[in-house]
């Protein structure tokens, strides 16, 4: 792993940001006026992709492996987020969440940080799983129509 792949943020900040994004999206969707079905499906699909990425990351970290490719996925998802949130939330809110996801995309670097501090690794991986669950819940509830209006 090269130094460029290691997150510039401590693992606690990176994981906390991912939890914050999922929680924020849930609150924004719940408080939004009716979300168009196509828009809701797009947001659900992206939430599900982010969840899958975090699950793959935590699975690799538990196995002592580097979650190769997951950084690139999260970075690409951060680029999709503003367009999908357009019309659902203010543009500045959408850009802020996308920026937070961009800042938190270097999950491959977690393998180095977690290996360096095994005493707290299980807790940090559990928090990644929690973030994944929150993103998946957003996807499920968007598809069920429970978060719009």
């Amino acid at each position: 792993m090269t130094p460029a792949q290691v997150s510039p943020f401590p693992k606690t900040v990176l994981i906390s940001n991912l939890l914050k994004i999922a929680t924020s999206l849930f609150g924004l969707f719940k408080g939004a006026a009716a979300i168009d079905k196509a828009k809701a499906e797009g947001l659900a699909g992206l939430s599900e992709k982010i969840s899958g990425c975090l699950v793959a990351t935590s699975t690799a970290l538990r196995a002592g492996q580097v979650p190769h490719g997951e950084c690139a996925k999260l970075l690409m998802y951060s680029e999709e987020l503003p367009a999908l949130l357009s019309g659902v939330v203010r543009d500045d809110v959408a850009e802020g969440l996308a920026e937070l996801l961009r800042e938190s995309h270097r999950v491959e670097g977690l393998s180095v940080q977690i290996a360096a501090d095994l005493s707290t690794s299980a807790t940090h991986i559990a928090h990644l799983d929690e973030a994944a669950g929150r993103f998946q819940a957003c996807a499920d509830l968007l598809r069920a129509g429970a978060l719009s209006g």
Side-chain angles (χ1 to χ4, degrees):
M1 172 157 302
T2 66
Q5 291 174 305
V6 176
S7 174
F9 299 108
K11 60 186 170 294
T12 53
V13 172
L14 191 146
I15 295 168
S16 175
N17 284 350
L18 291 166
L19 284 164
K20 183 187 296 186
I21 296 163
T23 301
S24 295
L25 287 175
F26 179 83
L28 290 169
F29 297 155
K30 189 171 183 178
I35 300 173
D36 170 91
K37 283 197 182 286
K39 179 75 72 172
E41 181 55 39
L43 288 164
L46 184 62
S47 293
E48 194 165 61
K49 288 177 186 176
I50 294 170
S51 175
C53 183
L54 298 179
V55 167
T57 297
S58 68
T59 300
L61 292 174
R62 272 192 189 86
Q65 299 172 345
V66 177
H68 292 292
E70 302 308 320
C71 289
K73 289 179 189 176
L74 283 176
L75 185 59
M76 291 181 75
Y77 300 154
S78 74
E79 294 170 5
E80 289 181 43
L81 191 57
L84 287 171
L85 287 173
S86 178
V88 178
V89 300
R90 291 187 336 254
D91 289 345
D92 63 318
V93 173
E95 286 297 333
L97 288 170
E99 180 60 28
L100 199 55
L101 186 56
R102 257 188 303 279
E103 290 174 359
S104 304
H105 82 279
R106 295 186 182 267
V107 292
E108 290 176 12
L110 289 174
S111 61
V112 173
Q113 293 181 18
I114 285 175
D117 185 9
L118 295 176
S119 65
T120 61
S121 63
T123 300
H124 295 303
I125 293 170
H127 287 145
L128 266 181
D129 289 335
E130 180 183 350
R134 289 182 188 191
F135 279 107
Q136 185 60 54
C138 280
D140 295 343
L141 292 170
L142 279 164
R143 287 193 175 112
L147 289 183
S148 58

